[in-house]
Amino acid sequence: MAAQLEQALAKLKTTGVRMTPQRHAILSFLLDSMTHPTADDIYKSLESKFPNMSVATVYNNLKVFIESGLVRELTYGDSSSRFDADMTDHYHAVCEVCGKIADFEYPPLHDIEITAAGQTGFQVSAYRLEVYGVCPGCTGITKH
Ligand SMILES: [Zn+2]
Ligand SMILES: [Zn+2]
């Protein structure tokens, strides 16, 4: 993921965002993480490295990344948002037990956009598709 981090850092530079050690650590943690962590997860993982960092700092940095187009926020009603630093087109499988999110690839669903536009008159700009179930860690089956 090193190349991705370099790219992200270069992009931040062009937007004039100042890089701090914490900001760097949060971004690289997100890029390495495959589980789409919550702000709390990020805070807990980095708190030993940055004892002075608060959850609010994590949130503020995430906001900067979202505004810079580097991170996507995934909202789930009342439960905590999760954050994804993979901005490529992909879909999510959500674990109903632990809340972890896994990525999967599938061709773009243009049919859905066309059908939705036809039936509602909307100009469709985006769509979000997720599957729900129990992840391998929670079913006890470890996939290798
Ligand atoms: Zn799970
Ligand atoms: Zn994702």
Side-chain angles (χ1 to χ4, degrees), residues 95-100 133-139:
C95 178
E96 291 167 317
V97 179
C98 68
K100 166 179 138 171
V134 182
C135 79
C138 292
T139 47

Side-chain angles (χ1 to χ4, degrees), residues 22 43 46-58 61:
Q22 294 176 355
Y43 169 71
L46 297 177
E47 111 183 285
S48 59
K49 218 167 147 194
F50 299 102
N52 296 323
M53 187 173 71
S54 66
V55 187
T57 310
V58 175
N61 279 294

Side-chain angles (χ1 to χ4, degrees), residues 56-107:
T57 310
V58 175
Y59 271 110
N60 289 338
N61 279 294
L62 287 168
K63 229 179 110 191
V64 169
F65 298 146
I66 292 163
E67 281 162 7
S68 310
L70 292 175
V71 168
R72 202 170 359 199
E73 179 176 10
L74 307 167
T75 51
Y76 293 94
D78 287 343
S79 39
S80 306
S81 288
R82 291 181 162 264
F83 298 90
D84 192 352
D86 182 354
M87 298 300 277
T88 61
D89 282 336
H90 65 274
Y91 301 94
H92 290 133
V94 183
C95 178
E96 291 167 317
V97 179
C98 68
K100 166 179 138 171
I101 299 173
D103 291 331
F104 69 94
E105 311 271 337
Y106 195 78

